[in-house]
Amino acid sequence: MSALANHSFSKMNGIGNEIVVVDLRDKAGVVTPEEARAVASAKGVHFDQLMVLQPARLAGTEAFIRIYNNDGSESSACGNGMRCVARRLFEASGQTEGTFETKAGLLNCWRKGDLYTVDMGPPKFGWKDIPLAEEFRDTRYIELQIGPIDAPVLHSPSVVSMGNPHAIFWVDDVDAFDLSRFGPLLENHPIFLERANITLAHIVDRDHITIRTWERGAGLTKACGSAACAAAVAAARLKRANRTVEVSLPGGELGIEWRERDDHVLMTGTATFEYEGRFDPALFAS
């Protein structure tokens, strides 16, 4: 029987990024891609990311966290999901800070008032780290476009890894493009060996960026925390924005700081609790 059958969950969101948090620290077993897709099905609970807490593997950490997209694939990082995890654990324990292990490494989280901050670690810019299928010495822009050669619709994205791969296309209006159409094509472009999160970004001024994201494995979302981090870092690399910016997403605002002293990217925002539920065992019967 599935470890999720009849197990409790928390439905939350990080500025509109739909998150389901499941605490399996006292249970053996790993959630399978099929089980994640069952949870996301019409009879289950819609999510962009499923955050599964498993027993800590390293001393000093609260849990090892596996992150599933709604198509059953795994992600190494999810900043909005981490804020939701931090809120649930901090409310239960009375803590105001904690360290979690993910496939992207160790993430420190802390609370100040109603806001939660996640240290997303340093960004990576090497073409092998993102990873790309061919060498680009300068990943501030790469050769990639959608549309006619002489009049491309989207072109020359910045690429960066925030624990997961991101491509940021710079545009004048993030709402002027059919991202639900272009997103799947670009997410699965052969240049991206592990697919990619696709973001449209507009630099309002040196302190403010607006974005929309097609999220790898989840589709069009109201918010993607790691995409906000990637866009902020890419804009700073291009000398078009400061290292501390506000990023506006369809679901709300995030504060992003690319810290100079250690190269780490800090993401700050809210984490909203919606309701507590329990998984119907029938979801996993087949």
Side-chain angles (χ1 to χ4, degrees):
M1 179 180 289
S2 168
L4 296 179
N6 208 35
H7 199 281
S8 62
F9 65 87
S10 297
K11 175 65 176 65
M12 306 184 72
N13 78 76
I15 64 167
N17 198 172
E18 303 293 338
I19 304 295
V20 170
V21 178
V22 182
D23 190 346
L24 295 182
R25 287 179 294 172
D26 60 349
K27 283 198 172 187
V30 174
V31 174
T32 66
E34 293 77 16
E35 289 169 332
R37 288 194 294 270
V39 172
S41 69
K43 294 182 179 179
V45 187
H46 173 71
F47 65 81
D48 296 319
Q49 274 75 42
L50 173 67
M51 311 292 291
V52 180
L53 281 67
Q54 298 191 302
R57 307 188 304 183
L58 298 174
T61 61
E62 305 296 328
F64 175 72
I65 300 179
R66 296 180 76 112
I67 306 167
Y68 297 83
N69 300 310
N70 59 29
D71 69 352
S73 62
E74 284 196 60
S75 179
S76 298
C78 177
N80 287 324
M82 284 307 309
R83 293 201 315 280
C84 292
V85 167
R87 173 173 175 174
R88 292 308 281 160
L89 264 65
F90 293 174
E91 286 179 337
S93 67
Q95 297 170 244
T96 57
E97 58 184 56
T99 301
F100 302 86
E101 183 188 5
T102 70
K103 286 189 172 183
L106 298 181
L107 298 181
N108 295 315
C109 304
W110 58 92
R111 177 180 67 83
K112 187 174 183 180
D114 293 331
L115 296 178
Y116 295 81
T117 298
V118 181
D119 182 343
M120 298 288 286
K124 295 180 180 178
F125 306 117
W127 69 276
K128 290 183 178 180
D129 296 321
I130 290 168
L132 302 177
E134 60 184 88
E135 180 178 1
F136 287 91
R137 294 187 178 181
D138 187 352
T139 53
R140 290 177 296 179
Y141 291 111
I142 67 167
E143 296 175 16
L144 176 64
Q145 67 181 42
I146 288 285
I149 294 177
D150 57 346
V153 178
L154 294 169
H155 65 91
S156 308
S158 301
V159 289
V160 57
S161 172
M162 285 303 313
N164 47 9
H166 289 269
I168 302 99
F169 291 85
W170 306 103
V171 299
D172 292 329
D173 182 356
V174 299
D175 295 313
F177 301 85
D178 187 356
L179 192 52
S180 62
R181 175 187 171 196
F182 296 122
L185 298 174
L186 290 163
E187 173 194 351
N188 294 285
H189 192 283
I191 192 67
F192 301 118
L193 293 177
E194 297 177 2
R195 299 186 293 166
N197 297 275
I198 307 300
T199 292
L200 304 178
H202 169 63
I203 298 176
V204 180
D205 56 45
R206 294 194 63 82
D207 300 313
H208 188 193
I209 302 171
T210 300
I211 71 170
R212 289 175 65 219
T213 298
W214 175 272
E215 200 163 352
R216 178 185 65 164
L220 202 58
T221 59
K222 292 182 180 179
C224 177
S226 59
C229 295
V233 166
R237 286 187 84 202
L238 292 168
K239 310 296 185 185
R240 297 180 64 190
N242 296 321
R243 293 177 72 105
T244 299
V245 295
E246 180 182 87
V247 180
S248 297
L249 306 93
E253 312 293 323
L254 289 173
I256 308 296
E257 178 189 358
W258 184 16
R259 203 161 55 188
E260 287 195 65
R261 64 180 173 85
D262 59 4
D263 205 34
H264 284 216
V265 181
L266 308 184
M267 177 190 57
T268 300
T270 57
T272 303
F273 173 78
E274 296 181 14
Y275 63 88
E276 196 85 11
R278 195 167 290 276
F279 292 122
D280 183 349
L283 276 177
F284 315 103
S286 60

